[in-house]
Amino acid sequence: MRIRWRRISAGAAILAAAGLFVAWAGIIDTRASTGHWRVTDWFLHWVMRSSVRTAALGGHTPRFTAAMLPLAAGHYETGCAGCHGSPAMPRPATVENMLPPPPDLLHVTTTWNDAQLFEIVKHGVRYTGMPAWPSLERDDEVWAMVAFLREYPSLDQAAYQRLAGFSATASRDFAAIVKSCEGCHSPAGPDETSLIPRLTHQSETYIRDSLEAYAAGKRPSGVMKVALSQTSSEDRKKLASYFASQSGPTETGRPSEMLSRGKVLAERGDRTRGIAACAACHDAAGVNEAYPRLAGQPIPYLENQLGLFRSGNRGGGAYAGVMTRAAAGLTDDDIHALAAYYGALPKN
């Protein structure tokens, strides 16, 4: 009998030691970008639904009234829309890569009864980022939110904004959007060693196409996707018009030993390697307004964009494929030379 218990104890100790070793070795993947295994995702949701179902047993639902809705809508806009989105604005891009991502409440609320929604709203859900209600003593507020969630799928933008009042309309204040954008894209221009492009002297068409491509995910950028995720198409049109109308500094760049090589590539290209002349499309009078102006842009920004085009990772407007093909034959030295040349040109 003792020998059996010794074997059991030894086996348990070995298993514990093996578990600690696996954890220490970093074999367990905790990266949100990789997602859960399908069985893990199923199990976690099953556990959560079972827990909520049991906790909600015996819950009594009060009578819902229209008076509950404005209070809940105002709180939803300020406390919930930042993760779940709303009829006035889609959810921010930052939350789409959470694990698990916050659900779209247009479709999810119908899978819970009122008592279960109350349980989730009041107490939150561990390990998901869903917080508990700020004041657990106020069941009346929680029930108001449940009443609002029941109405939520039927609300269009206008109805939602009427309920949420100033909370929903303030998030669309264009002056605030411009101020946020100018934090990076000041009319004075970013530092010349920056990866941020200058928007002054660009055409309205090019800026608008770029903003729409970022917002739609056709031009990949986590930074710009987040920055634009709380803007409407009308906001983006107004932003393009605003920045295209701004004027910035027009100083020339500094001389560089690579300027002559960059000038040749820009003006003539290299037919032997299938490299077209950049000047045929960029910074020339009468060219397509959808093409960007390169003169005076920060050199690191130009180098980075050319590298993205060469690798096929730079999407954009309708003509992005033209640049992907044009940049395919560029070497690192070509890219440095072109960036130095265009960075030194005065803005036009």
Side-chain angles (χ1 to χ4, degrees):
M1 190 69 175
R2 290 181 179 178
I3 294 175
R4 179 182 298 175
W5 280 110
R6 286 176 182 173
R7 289 176 177 174
I8 293 173
S9 299
I14 291 171
L15 286 174
L20 287 173
F21 173 78
V22 169
W24 171 84
I27 298 173
I28 300 174
D29 190 357
T30 62
R31 296 174 294 181
S33 60
T34 60
H36 290 307
W37 291 337
R38 184 168 297 182
V39 65
T40 304
D41 188 66
W42 169 84
F43 180 76
L44 292 175
H45 278 82
W46 177 70
V47 169
M48 187 268 284
R49 296 193 72 91
S50 299
S51 174
V52 171
R53 179 200 63 217
T54 300
L57 291 174
H60 172 69
T61 302
R63 184 174 67 88
F64 294 153
T65 67
M68 294 175 163
L69 302 182
L71 170 72
H75 176 78
Y76 181 90
E77 174 65 22
T78 57
C80 310
C83 284
H84 295 285
S86 76
M89 197 70 66
R91 62 184 182 178
T94 46
V95 305
E96 294 177 5
N97 292 325
M98 291 174 62
L99 187 64
D104 183 347
L105 299 184
L106 282 174
H107 312 294
V108 131
T109 54
T110 57
T111 65
W112 304 95
N113 64 36
D114 293 339
Q116 291 167 346
L117 283 176
F118 176 87
E119 178 69 21
I120 294 171
V121 172
K122 180 174 182 178
H123 297 289
V125 182
R126 292 182 184 179
Y127 315 123
T128 67
M130 172 64 186
W133 193 257
S135 179
L136 294 179
E137 296 81 8
R138 293 295 304 273
D139 284 1
D140 60 312
E141 293 179 339
V142 179
W143 280 118
M145 181 58 72
V146 175
F148 169 77
L149 291 175
R150 285 292 177 232
E151 291 292 320
Y152 185 80
S154 66
L155 298 176
D156 59 16
Q157 178 177 328
Y160 174 78
Q161 289 183 324
R162 281 196 300 271
L163 283 174
F166 177 76
S167 297
T169 56
S171 64
R172 299 182 62 82
D173 181 67
F174 185 69
I177 295 174
V178 168
K179 186 175 181 180
S180 174
C181 294
E182 285 187 334
C184 290
H185 300 284
S186 168
D191 184 89
E192 62 184 23
T193 61
S194 175
L195 290 172
I196 299 171
R198 293 184 173 97
L199 301 186
T200 52
H201 305 283
Q202 294 290 357
S203 73
E204 182 176 343
T205 300
Y206 173 71
I207 297 175
R208 185 189 65 242
D209 288 352
S210 295
L211 294 179
E212 291 298 339
Y214 279 129
K218 295 179 180 178
R219 181 172 173 178
S221 170
V223 173
M224 285 301 297
K225 187 176 183 182
V226 170
L228 294 171
S229 64
Q230 293 291 276
T231 63
S232 65
S233 181
E234 185 62 29
D235 293 330
R236 295 189 285 275
K237 289 179 182 177
K238 291 165 68 176
L239 282 171
S241 176
Y242 173 81
F243 279 104
S245 68
Q246 302 300 300
S247 60
T250 58
E251 75 281 356
T252 59
R254 293 187 297 269
S256 165
E257 66 276 6
M258 304 186 78
L259 290 182
S260 58
R261 177 176 179 176
K263 180 179 174 66
V264 170
L265 281 173
E267 295 182 351
R268 303 178 191 172
D270 188 338
R271 292 186 178 182
T272 63
R273 292 186 290 147
I275 299 173
C278 307
C281 295
H282 298 283
D283 298 82
V287 299
N288 193 331
E289 285 292 296
Y291 295 153
R293 296 164 188 165
L294 308 183
Q297 289 289 349
I299 291 174
Y301 169 75
L302 293 171
E303 289 178 338
N304 191 48
Q305 296 303 303
L306 287 171
L308 290 171
F309 274 123
R310 183 178 63 180
S311 64
N313 293 324
R314 165 65 155 79
Y319 304 98
V322 175
M323 266 305 300
T324 299
R325 293 189 294 272
L330 295 176
T331 66
D332 287 346
D333 287 342
D334 294 334
I335 288 175
H336 296 325
L338 284 168
Y341 171 71
Y342 276 107
L345 288 180
K347 303 179 191 68
N348 45 35

